C-alpha cells in the first residue's frame, strides 16, 4: 500500500474541493494517453475488414479512457513516490489538489465504464483485452513490479504495447500476427526508451526507492542492456515488411530508423562520463519517441492508402 | 482551513464554490456527450432500417 504521510493526507483532505477539471485531466496522464490512442488507431486502420466510423470512434474513446483510468490508478498507488521525485511531485495527488481516495474511485469508475462500453458497443475480445491492459498496468506493474525488480519496465511494457492489438480486435474480433508484431515492436522499444530516461533521472529514482536498472545494476550494465535491446529492436521493427505486411515505404523507413536507433544507443554505450554521457542519453530518449511515432505514422499512412 | 463545519454545516469558500461549479459543468457536458453518443451508436447498430416506419411495406400503402 502506498505510504502517504499523515501530514500529507491531512493536507489533501483539507484542500478537498479545490481540484479543478484540469487536475482530473492530469490524472489521466494525457501524454501517455495520446500515444496509446495513436497506436490503437494504427491497429484499427491496419486491420482487415470494415468498421463503422462511429464504432471506430467509440473504440478509440474507450481505449483512451481505459488508458487514462490506468494512469489515475497508477497515480493513486504511487502518490508516495511521486512526492519524492522532482518530475512527478507536481502531480495532483502529491501536490495536494486531489485526495488519494478520490483518484482511486475516479480510476476504478473510468476503468469499469471504458471496459463495459468497449465490450458491449464494439466487441467482447477488445473489451477483455482492455480490462487485461488496465489490470496489468495498475496491478502487475504499479503495485508489484515497479517497486520489486529492475525488470519492472521490461515486463510492465506489455501494458503499453497492447493498444494496437486492442484496436485490431475492435475491428476483426480476433488477434493476428500483424498486431502481435506491433505489440513486439513497442514491447522491445520500451526498455531502451525508459532506461535512457533512468540514466538521466537516476538520483530521482534513488530518492524514491524505485529499483530501476541504473540504480541496481549500475550505469555500465544499463548501457549494455540498452545496446542489446536496440540490436533486437532494429530487426523487430523491420519484421512487418519482411513478412510482407507493409509496403516499401515502411521497409525503407524502418531500416533507416533502426540504424539511427543503433547509432544513438551506441553513443550511450561508448560515452560514459560527464556531459557527453548525459547528452547521449538525452538524444537516445528523444529519438526513441520520434522512432516509434514515425514508424506508426508510416503504418497509418500505408493503412489509409490501401 | 476553508471548509468549516459549524451549525450551518460545511461552508465552502468562494474558490471552492468556483471549482465545484466548473466540475459540475464538466460532468454535465460529459453526460450530455454520452447521451448523444449512445443515441448515435444505437442508430448505427440497428442500421438505417430503424428510420423507416414499421408496418406494411411501401407498395401496400399505395394499394
Amino acid at each position: 500500500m502506498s505510504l502517504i504521510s499523515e501530514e500529507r493526507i491531512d493536507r489533501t483532505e483539507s484542500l478537498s474541493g479545490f481540484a479543478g477539471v484540469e487536475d482530473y485531466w492530469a490524472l489521466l496522464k494525457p501524454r501517455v494517453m495520446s500515444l496509446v490512442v495513436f497506436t490503437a488507431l494504427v491497429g484499427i486502420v491496419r486491420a482487415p475488414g470494415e468498421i463503422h466510423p462511429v464504432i471506430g470512434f467509440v473504440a478509440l474513446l474507450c481505449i483512451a479512457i481505459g488508458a487514462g483510468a490506468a494512469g489515475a490508478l497508477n497515480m493513486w498507488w504511487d502518490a508516495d513516490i511521486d512526492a519524492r521525485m522532482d518530475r512527478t511531485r507536481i502531480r495532483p495527488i502529491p501536490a495536494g489538489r486531489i485526495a488519494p481516495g478520490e483518484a482511486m474511485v475516479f480510476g476504478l469508475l473510468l476503468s469499469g465504464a471504458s471496459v463495459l462500453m468497449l465490450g458491449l458497443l464494439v466487441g467482447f475480445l477488445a473489451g477483455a483485452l482492455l480490462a487485461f491492459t488496465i489490470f496489468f498496468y495498475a496491478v502487475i506493474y504499479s503495485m508489484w513490479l515497479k517497486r520489486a525488480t529492475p525488470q519492472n519496465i521490461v515486463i510492465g511494457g506489455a501494458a503499453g504495447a497492447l493498444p494496437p492489438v486492442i484496436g485490431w480486435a475492435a475491428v476483426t474480433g480476433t488477434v493476428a500476427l500483424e498486431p502481435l508484431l506491433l505489440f513486439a515492436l513497442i514491447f522491445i522499444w520500451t526498455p531502451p526508451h525508459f532506461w535512457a530516461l533512468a540514466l538521466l533521472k537516476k538520483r530521482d529514482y534513488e530518492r524514491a526507492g524505485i529499483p530501476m536498472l541504473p540504480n541496481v545494476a549500475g550505469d555500465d550494465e544499463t548501457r549494455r542492456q540498452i545496446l542489446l535491446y536496440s540490436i533486437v529492436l532494429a530487426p523487430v521493427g523491420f519484421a512487418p515488411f519482411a513478412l510482407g505486411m507493409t509496403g516499401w515505404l515502411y521497409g525503407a523507413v524502418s531500416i533507416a530508423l533502426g540504424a539511427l536507433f543503433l547509432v544513438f544507443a551506441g553513443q550511450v554505450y561508448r560515452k560514459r562520463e560527464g556531459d557527453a554521457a548525459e547528452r547521449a542519453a538525452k538524444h537516445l530518449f528523444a529519438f526513441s519517441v520520434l522512432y516509434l511515432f514515425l514508424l506508426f505514422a508510416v503504418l497509418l499512412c500505408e493503412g489509409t492508402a490501401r | 482551513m476553508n471548509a468549516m463545519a459549524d451549525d450551518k454545516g460545511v461552508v465552502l469558500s468562494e474558490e471552492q464554490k468556483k471549482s465545484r461549479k466548473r466540475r459540475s459543468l464538466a460532468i454535465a457536458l460529459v453526460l450530455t456527450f454520452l447521451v448523444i453518443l449512445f443515441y448515435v451508436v444505437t442508430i448505427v447498430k440497428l442500421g438505417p432500417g430503424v428510420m423507416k416506419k414499421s408496418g406494411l411495406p411501401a407498395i401496400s400503402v399505395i394499394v
Side-chain angles (χ1 to χ4, degrees):
Chain A
M1 177 67 199
S2 295
L3 300 169
I4 301 167
S5 70
E6 289 295 324
E7 185 189 350
R8 195 149 56 80
I9 287 175
D10 287 347
R11 189 155 56 86
T12 38
E13 294 303 340
S14 69
L15 286 173
S16 184
F18 279 111
V21 176
E22 64 279 2
D23 291 318
Y24 288 94
W25 176 246
L27 272 186
L28 303 177
K29 295 192 176 183
R31 283 171 67 184
V32 176
M33 199 201 279
S34 62
L35 185 67
V36 166
V37 168
F38 182 53
T39 56
L41 175 66
V42 172
I44 289 175
V45 168
R46 295 205 60 89
E50 298 269 316
I51 187 168
H52 192 285
V54 172
I55 304 299
F57 170 74
V58 171
L60 272 183
L61 182 70
C62 292
I63 294 168
I65 296 170
L73 291 171
N74 168 273
M75 283 204 206
W76 158 65
W77 188 260
D78 282 346
D80 58 331
I81 53 180
D82 281 351
R84 294 203 289 268
M85 292 174 68
D86 291 338
R87 190 169 63 89
T88 53
R89 66 177 44 156
I90 54 165
R91 285 176 173 175
I93 304 174
R97 295 191 300 276
I98 291 182
E102 282 181 86
M104 182 195 68
V105 172
F106 185 62
L108 287 176
L109 198 72
L110 292 187
S111 298
S114 60
V115 168
L116 209 63
M117 270 176 67
L118 190 62
L120 293 175
L121 302 181
V122 181
F124 286 115
L125 180 63
L129 284 170
L130 181 64
F132 177 74
T133 305
I134 296 170
F135 171 79
F136 200 91
Y137 185 72
V139 178
I140 305 292
Y141 170 69
S142 301
M143 296 181 185
W144 176 30
L145 296 170
K146 188 170 178 178
R147 299 169 195 235
T149 166
Q151 294 299 310
N152 46 16
I153 50 106
V154 177
I155 308 166
L162 275 167
V165 185
I166 304 174
W168 184 286
V171 179
T172 64
T174 58
V175 173
L177 181 61
E178 186 174 338
L180 291 178
L181 277 177
L182 300 184
F183 170 88
L185 177 60
I186 303 175
F187 185 73
I188 302 293
W189 165 89
T190 306
H193 168 75
F194 272 108
W195 285 335
L197 179 70
L199 283 172
L200 294 166
K201 303 286 181 188
K202 191 178 166 184
R203 287 205 182 88
D204 246 11
Y205 285 118
E206 195 176 322
R207 207 164 40 236
I210 305 172
M212 293 299 281
L213 195 61
N215 303 89
V216 175
D219 289 0
D220 288 351
E221 176 59 18
T222 305
R223 291 189 171 93
R224 195 177 74 87
Q225 294 276 341
I226 285 175
L227 188 62
L228 289 175
Y229 272 91
S230 304
I231 291 169
V232 177
L233 180 64
V236 170
F238 182 67
F241 172 74
L243 293 172
M245 295 167 181
T246 66
W248 283 100
L249 179 64
Y250 178 85
V253 171
S254 67
I255 289 173
L257 290 176
L260 274 173
F261 203 107
L262 274 173
V263 169
F264 283 112
Q267 282 178 353
V268 170
Y269 184 73
R270 280 198 312 275
K271 296 174 181 174
R272 301 183 174 208
E273 298 292 335
D275 288 348
E278 193 173 318
R279 265 200 310 276
K282 273 183 188 167
H283 287 162
L284 177 63
F285 179 74
F287 179 74
S288 65
V289 177
L290 187 69
Y291 171 88
L292 200 68
F293 172 75
L294 286 178
L295 279 190
F296 274 79
V298 174
L299 285 170
L300 187 65
C301 291
E302 285 192 352
T304 49
R306 278 191 304 199
Chain B
M1 195 153 159
N2 293 282
M4 296 175 63
D6 54 20
D7 293 343
K8 294 174 185 172
V10 176
V11 180
L12 297 178
S13 68
E14 281 307 308
E15 197 177 342
Q16 281 174 315
K17 281 179 187 169
K18 274 184 190 169
S19 289
R20 186 175 63 177
K21 199 170 183 179
R22 282 198 298 269
R23 288 198 302 269
S24 301
L25 187 65
I27 291 169
L29 287 173
V30 167
L31 288 176
T32 307
F33 171 76
L34 283 176
V35 167
I36 296 168
L37 184 72
F38 289 146
Y39 177 76
V40 173
V41 169
T42 304
I43 300 296
V44 168
K45 285 270 182 191
L46 291 174
V50 76
M51 303 305 280
K52 290 180 185 168
K53 284 183 179 176
S54 61
L56 298 170
I59 193 153
S60 304
V61 175
I62 294 167
V63 170

